[in-house]
Every structure is written in structure tokens, then in C-alpha cells.
């Protein structure tokens, strides 16, 4: 091979590339550039258009998470201290007076007047507490109502019954004279004997009908020197006798209930603090006494004039004791158009309006954004306190009430502690029936097999859980069943079927379910709810 010399020949890299390729490599034409820009802009627009939806979804999930946290904290607090739970939280349709299904949806239009669980589960029955101790120089002992501010009727009388509970021991035989303090007696005929000074008693007892069947009653309201309700049952089968050894009783003294302030308290009187209705005031001499209260949660009339629940958030937090003494509320965006309070309970105008109320659970002191102690950021949902003595607030819990733009709030649904059979409920008359209709059950054999017993419950406890104690068998000795768990049918008829045949006696039926439900309005204006359910440990029956 001959060596090459002189000029070195190099082949042009583009020598074999067609002209159209070279032109393509030289850049984009204007048309191509415009097309590319249009495609890019369409993509950017699609992404940008999706951002609001993405932000909306993120905000909705944040709301759900925050509501779930608040509901969980509420249910844990109630389970840690079950004494603060009432006998039941229930409600009646304001238009018809009928009981309300606990899962009924809220009204969709202002023209609908029927009751619903969101707005009308407002009756708190049987909340029990011990009156807190106070300094002897104090004007009143203060108890913050656990479920929320109380309502009043058109005449400004608190819709509440307040009773002091008194422990009683059963006498083994009928007294020959006056009944001694701290004791009671129920004879075979059902006559209740109580010491003077009591208004009546809540009585547990067993009674037998003329067919020899045993029946049990719990927490029955009996007035002073009255008869137990079973004594009025004429059958069939009719009342025969009370089993005296089965009787237990707790006496009560009815308190006079007033609207007012600390200066209005007196022995035997309970005062509903008339500015906000969130606390009850007692004479200092009542400290340590056990009190039971029934009340209606604060309401506001709707477009039809029906009283509906006043929507508000209630949360409990430790009082801030470090500068700047600020708290982040559970929700941002507080309602700045609809105040929490515009007037006191007796109709007196408040100036300025109140948008946030904080109650010290230890002292009963109240703080609002209308005063100098509280600064409220409605947008961020923060509240800053100006304590007169920050050190004195160590260890104090605050219960805070406020409204939000999304109508957030948490409600409690609780099955009654004890149910009563229909034969006893029928002995309540007139206004008394409202005290038992929410916990009445009927026992019958209508499953197609007469050996099995069906219990039918009122609509207000549909879907809730109960335990049943009963005795069954075809001959003595009978078998005893304790705390058999059932969930009441959610659809009518609201029934359960007992597991064993040939039931001889229903010893007791107890509600054991507790639901904490959170409501809120999402960014699209749709009402949302979140439920947390739990079981409570049933109390031991006879």
C-alpha cells in the first residue's frame, strides 16, 4: 500500500446527508415553534386548571383529619371519665313531637319542618356531677354543663330539672313510725316509704305478675309516698307483688331553678348563669353534693319557628401558661357574621357581640373576645389570653365555644343507660311520658317460632347497641345469661332477637353504645359527617 503524503483528505461529516436533513438541523420554523408553544401552553393550562381542585381536595382532607382528631379526643375524654356522660342524649321532632332516628339526615330546605339528628338531638337527660368545693367566702360554687350551654323557653325559665341525689339503704321490714333519714322501704304492694325532706326516689325493683312471671325495673321515678309504677298494671297478666329484697333506691331533692347570677344562689336553689347559660351556680353549702340535671341544649329558631340546635364547636384544652398565651383552635375561618351570643338568656342585648366563649373548668370563670382578656384572630383561628395572673392558670382546663364558616360541630349520641318494658311505660301519663318514651321496649314472640323472644325499641335508638340480661329454659333451675350483646336494627321495626329460646324473664336491658359525630361543610357546600363509635362497660344489674 502506497503511503499518502501531502494534504490529508477528510470527508465532510455532512457530505452524504440530504439537504432537507441539513435544513432540519438548522432550527425550527415559525410554524413549528408556534405549534410547540400551543402544545406547551395547553399542558400548562391543564396542570394549572387542576391546581384548584387539588387544593380543594387537600383542604377537604385537612378538614376531615381535624374533625377526626377532635372527635377522637372527645371520645377518649368521655371514656376516661364516664361519670360525665348523661343517661342519654336524645331528641324529639319539633313539628310532630315524635322521636328522631339517630341517623336521619338534616333538612335540605328551609321548608322542611321534620326533625333530624343533626339539629334536634338536644335533650340531655341524667347528667350527674358533684358540686365542686369553693372558698367559704365565695358567693357560689360553679359547675360548667358538660354537653353545652342550656336553652331557655319563651318565658325565660331554664328548661332544666335539677335534683340532689341522696343515698338510701333498704329497711328489712316496714317502719313502725317515721322513716329514718338515709333509709327507705317498699312493701309487697309497691308503696314507697321515704324520710321527710325528700321529693321522691329513683327505684330499682323486681315485681311478679299474676302468671308468676318476673319483671325488672331500673331507675323508675317515684314521687314521695307514691307507688312504684308496676302497682298500676292491671294486665293481663296483672301486678301481683313486689319482691321486697330486690329493691334499691336513690332519693332526690328537687331544686328550684332560676336565671341569674352568683348573688341569687341560696340553699336548695340552682341558678343558671343568665349571660351565656354555660354554667350552673350553687350555694357554697352544696359543695360535695351529688346532683343530677336534665336540660335542653341551646337552640335557635329556624325559618319555620322550630327550635334547632345552635351550631358551635366545643373543645377542651389546657390553659396556655407561657407567653404569648396563645392557642390554635381546632378550626380556622371563624364565622364573623353570626355571633355566638348577641343577647343574654333573658333577652338583654350584649354590646359588643360575643364570638368566642371560654370557660375555666376549675373555677367556672368565663372569658370572651368582647372583653379585654381575649384577642381573637378570626382568619387563622387563634386566641390569645391576657391573664391577670398567669401562674394561677397552671393546670387549668378551658372549654372553648365558637362558630366556624363551615358550620363545624361535634355531637354526642348515647343509648339510654337502662330501658324499661312497655307495661311500665304505659303507667306514665301526660308530660311524664317524655321521660320514658326514649327508653321503652316491647318483648314479644313474633319470629315465626314462638320460643324465641323479640325486643322492639323506639326509633331514637336505631342502630345502637344494647346488652340484655335474661333467664331462660323449660324447667327449673333456669339458665342465666348476662350482657348478651345486640345491635338494634337500623330499619323499622327496630328489633333484636335473643339468642336462646324459652325466655322466662328479661332481667335488664342496658344501652352500651356511644357515638361521637362530627359535622362540617366542605368547600363545595356539601354537608359532611364523620362517626366514631365505641362501647361502654355496662353496669351490673340485679
Amino acid at each position: 500500500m502506497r503511503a499518502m503524503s501531502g494534504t490529508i483528505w477528510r470527508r465532510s461529516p455532512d457530505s452524504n446527508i440530504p439537504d432537507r436533513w441539513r435544513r432540519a438541523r438548522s432550527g425550527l420554523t415559525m410554524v413549528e415553534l408556534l405549534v410547540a408553544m400551543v402544545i406547551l401552553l395547553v399542558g400548562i393550562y391543564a396542570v394549572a386548571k387542576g391546581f384548584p381542585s387539588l387544593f380543594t381536595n387537600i383542604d377537604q382532607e385537612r378538614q376531615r383529619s381535624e374533625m377526626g382528631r377532635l372527635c377522637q379526643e372527645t371520645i377518649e375524654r368521655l371514656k376516661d371519665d364516664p361519670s360525665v356522660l348523661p343517661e342519654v342524649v336524645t331528641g324529639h321532632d319539633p313539628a310532630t313531637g315524635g322521636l328522631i332516628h339517630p341517623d336521619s339526615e338534616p333538612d335540605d330546605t328551609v321548608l322542611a319542618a321534620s326533625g333530624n339528628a343533626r339539629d334536634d338531638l338536644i335533650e340531655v337527660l341524667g347528667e350527674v356531677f358533684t358540686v365542686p368545693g369553693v372558698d367559704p367566702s365565695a358567693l357560689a360554687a360553679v359547675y360548667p354543663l358538660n354537653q353545652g350551654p342550656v336553652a331557655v323557653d319563651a318565658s325565660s325559665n331554664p328548661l332544666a330539672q335539677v335534683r340532689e341525689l341522696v343515698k338510701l339503704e333498704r329497711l328489712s321490714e316496714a317502719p313502725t313510725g317515721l322513716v329514718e333519714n338515709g333509709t327507705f322501704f317498699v312493701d309487697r304492694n309497691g308503696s314507697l316509704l321515704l324520710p321527710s325532706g325528700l321529693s321522691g326516689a329513683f327505684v330499682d325493683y323486681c315485681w311478679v305478675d299474676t302468671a308468676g312471671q318476673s319483671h325488672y325495673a331500673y331507675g323508675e321515678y317515684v314521687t314521695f309516698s307514691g307507688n312504684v309504677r308496676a302497682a298500676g298494671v292491671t294486665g293481663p297478666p296483672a301486678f301481683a307483688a313486689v319482691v321486697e329484697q330486690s329493691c334499691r333506691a336513690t332519693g332526690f331533692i328537687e331544686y328550684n331553678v332560676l336565671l341569674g347570677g352568683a348573688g341569687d344562689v341560696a340553699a336548695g336553689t340552682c341558678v343558671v348563669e343568665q349571660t351565656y347559660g354555660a354554667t350552673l351556680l350553687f350555694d357554697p353549702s352544696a359543695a360535695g353534693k351529688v346532683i343530677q340535671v336534665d336540660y335542653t341544649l341551646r337552640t335557635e329558631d329556624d325559618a319555620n319557628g322550630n327550635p334547632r340546635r345552635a351550631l358551635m364547636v366545643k373543645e377542651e384544652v389546657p390553659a396556655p401558661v407561657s407567653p404569648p398565651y396563645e392557642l390554635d383552635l381546632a378550626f380556622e375561618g371563624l364565622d364573623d357574621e353570626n355571633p355566638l351570643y348577641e343577647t343574654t338568656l333573658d333577652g338583654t342585648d350584649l354590646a359588643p357581640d360575643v364570638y368566642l366563649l371560654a370557660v375555666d373548668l376549675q373555677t367556672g370563670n368565663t372569658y370572651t373576645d368582647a372583653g379585654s382578656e381575649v384577642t381573637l384572630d378570626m382568619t387563622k383561628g387563634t386566641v390569645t389570653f391576657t391573664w391577670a395572673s398567669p401562674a394561677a392558670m397552671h393546670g387549668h382546663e378551658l372549654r372553648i365555644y365558637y362558630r366556624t364558616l363551615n358550620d363545624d360541630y361535634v355531637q354526642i349520641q348515647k343509648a339510654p343507660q337502662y330501658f324499661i318494658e312497655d307495661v311500665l311505660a304505659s303507667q306514665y301519663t301526660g308530660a311524664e311520658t317524655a321521660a320514658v318514651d326514649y327508653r321503652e321496649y316491647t318483648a314479644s314472640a313474633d319470629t315465626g317460632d314462638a320460643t324465641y323472644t323479640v325486643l322492639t325499641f323506639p326509633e331514637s335508638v336505631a342502630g345502637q347497641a344494647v346488652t340484655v340480661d335474661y333467664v331462660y329454659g323449660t324447667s327449673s333451675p333456669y339458665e342465666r345469661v348476662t350482657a348478651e350483646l345486640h345491635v338494634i336494627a337500623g330499619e323499622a321495626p327496630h328489633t333484636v332477637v335473643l339468642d336462646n329460646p324459652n325466655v322466662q324473664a328479661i332481667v335488664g336491658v342496658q344501652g352500651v353504645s356511644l357515638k361521637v359525630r362530627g359535622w362540617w361543610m366542605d368547600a363545595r357546600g356539601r354537608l359532611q359527617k364523620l362517626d366514631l363509635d365505641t362501647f361502654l362497660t355496662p353496669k351490673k344489674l340485679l
Side-chain angles (χ1 to χ4, degrees):
M1 179 180 291
R2 186 174 59 185
M4 297 183 65
S5 62
T7 303
I8 299 175
W9 296 91
R10 294 182 175 88
R11 186 175 181 177
S12 170
D14 294 336
S15 60
N16 291 331
I17 299 176
D19 289 345
R20 66 180 182 275
W21 289 11
R22 286 197 295 270
R23 286 196 302 270
R25 294 186 58 179
S26 65
L28 296 173
T29 67
M30 182 62 69
V31 172
E32 291 170 331
L33 181 61
L34 290 174
V35 171
M37 291 179 65
V38 169
I39 294 174
L40 181 61
L41 288 173
V42 169
I44 293 174
Y45 173 75
V47 173
K49 187 177 181 180
F51 268 107
S53 177
L54 176 62
F55 289 145
T56 297
N57 292 337
I58 292 174
D59 187 58
Q60 288 178 345
E61 187 57 36
R62 180 191 60 79
Q63 286 179 309
R64 176 177 290 274
S65 298
E66 195 61 49
M67 182 59 75
R69 182 189 66 80
L70 188 57
C71 288
Q72 186 65 46
E73 288 180 355
T74 301
I75 210 165
E76 290 301 326
R77 185 176 68 252
L78 294 174
K79 291 186 69 175
D80 288 344
D81 186 11
S83 64
V84 302
L85 282 170
E87 155 74 16
V88 66
V89 179
T90 186
H92 292 82
D93 186 327
T96 67
L99 291 169
I100 297 171
H101 193 293
D103 287 323
S104 59
E105 293 298 328
D107 297 335
D108 293 325
T109 71
V110 296
L111 298 178
S114 59
N116 62 80
R118 179 173 182 261
D119 298 335
D120 296 306
L121 262 65
I122 56 178
E123 296 179 29
V124 181
L125 308 176
E127 184 173 318
V128 177
F129 58 91
T130 300
V131 178
V134 294
D135 187 283
S137 62
L139 292 177
V142 184
Y143 170 73
L145 288 163
N146 192 61
Q147 299 301 320
V150 68
V152 297
D153 65 15
S155 61
S156 297
N157 294 319
L159 293 180
Q161 288 183 300
V162 181
R163 309 176 183 94
E164 177 188 335
L165 301 183
V166 181
K167 186 177 180 179
L168 300 176
E169 296 291 336
R170 184 181 67 85
L171 296 172
S172 58
E173 56 184 29
T176 56
L178 296 176
V179 181
E180 295 181 3
N181 289 334
T183 65
F184 78 99
F185 184 75
V186 177
D187 64 22
R188 287 178 52 83
N189 296 322
S191 177
L192 172 66
L193 302 179
L194 294 172
S196 61
L198 295 183
S199 305
F202 296 104
V203 184
D204 303 339
Y205 63 98
C206 172
W207 63 281
V208 182
D209 61 34
T210 51
Q213 183 88 331
S214 296
H215 304 261
Y216 295 80
Y218 295 91
E220 185 174 287
Y221 179 97
V222 184
T223 58
F224 182 81
S225 296
N227 292 331
V228 297
R229 305 282 175 171
V233 176
T234 57
F239 169 82
V242 167
V243 180
E244 299 173 52
Q245 294 80 5
S246 70
C247 296
R248 298 180 301 193
T250 299
F252 61 82
I253 301 171
E254 295 279 6
Y255 277 33
N256 187 28
V257 185
L258 305 172
L259 276 177
D264 299 313
V265 299
T269 296
C270 170
V271 175
V272 177
E273 183 272 313
Q274 69 179 10
T275 305
Y276 310 114
T279 58
L280 302 181
L281 311 177
F282 296 87
D283 187 81
S285 63
K289 294 182 178 178
V290 179
I291 301 293
Q292 182 195 72
V293 59
D294 302 339
Y295 59 99
T296 301
L297 294 174
R298 181 170 169 253
T299 58
E300 296 171 348
D301 288 350
D302 63 10
N304 301 294
N306 293 314
R308 303 295 196 189
R309 182 192 300 264
L311 300 185
M312 63 182 72
V313 175
K314 180 190 73 173
E315 55 179 298
E316 295 185 9
V317 294
V321 293
S322 299
Y325 311 112
E326 183 178 276
L327 288 173
D328 286 323
L329 301 177
F331 299 101
E332 299 176 352
L334 273 61
D335 190 343
D336 58 0
E337 294 186 3
N338 301 292
L340 198 62
Y341 291 95
E342 297 178 86
T343 66
T344 64
L345 297 191
D346 64 0
T348 303
D349 286 336
L350 287 172
D353 296 335
V354 171
Y355 289 86
L356 178 140
L357 169 67
V359 181
D360 188 326
L361 298 183
Q362 275 64 40
T363 64
N365 293 336
T366 57
Y367 308 91
T368 74
D369 63 303
S372 59
E373 307 96 339
V374 175
T375 302
L376 184 60
D377 188 319
M378 308 288 284
T379 303
K380 295 180 180 179
T382 61
V383 54
T384 303
F385 294 90
T386 305
W387 303 123
S389 176
M393 299 304 296
H394 277 277
H396 287 217
E397 290 280 322
L398 298 178
R399 182 177 296 154
I400 300 179
Y401 303 94
Y402 57 95
R403 295 183 192 268
T404 70
L405 293 172
N406 292 320
D407 288 341
D408 303 287
Y409 81 100
V410 175
Q411 67 179 156
I412 307 298
Q413 295 182 10
K414 180 180 178 296
Q417 183 173 332
Y418 300 126
F419 288 84
I420 65 171
E421 56 185 334
D422 55 347
V423 293
L424 292 185
S426 66
Q427 300 304 307
Y428 286 76
T429 59
E432 293 178 336
T433 57
V436 294
D437 57 0
Y438 64 89
R439 60 189 187 110
E440 175 185 344
Y441 75 89
T442 302
S444 61
D446 59 1
T447 63
D449 184 345
T451 61
Y452 283 87
T453 297
V454 179
L455 305 183
T456 304
F457 294 88
E459 185 173 28
S460 60
V461 292
Q464 300 192 27
V466 296
T467 59
V468 186
D469 293 2
Y470 62 95
V471 177
Y472 76 97
T474 55
S475 61
S476 182
Y478 298 113
E479 296 290 333
R480 171 74 181 267
V481 174
T482 301
E484 182 176 289
L485 180 65
H486 292 274
V487 176
I488 301 168
E491 301 295 329
H494 308 295
T495 60
V496 301
V497 181
L498 298 184
D499 292 344
N500 295 289
N502 303 308
V503 172
Q504 300 299 314
I506 305 294
V507 177
V509 182
Q510 291 182 267
V512 294
S513 60
L514 172 66
K515 182 192 298 289
V516 175
R517 170 171 288 175
W519 295 94
W520 73 96
M521 196 82 67
D522 66 17
R524 295 183 176 90
R526 293 179 298 196
L527 200 61
Q528 304 288 342
K529 66 179 179 182
L530 181 149
D531 290 342
L532 289 180
D533 297 273
T534 190
F535 291 136
L536 302 170
T537 303
K539 293 187 177 181
K540 186 177 180 180
L541 295 172
L542 291 176

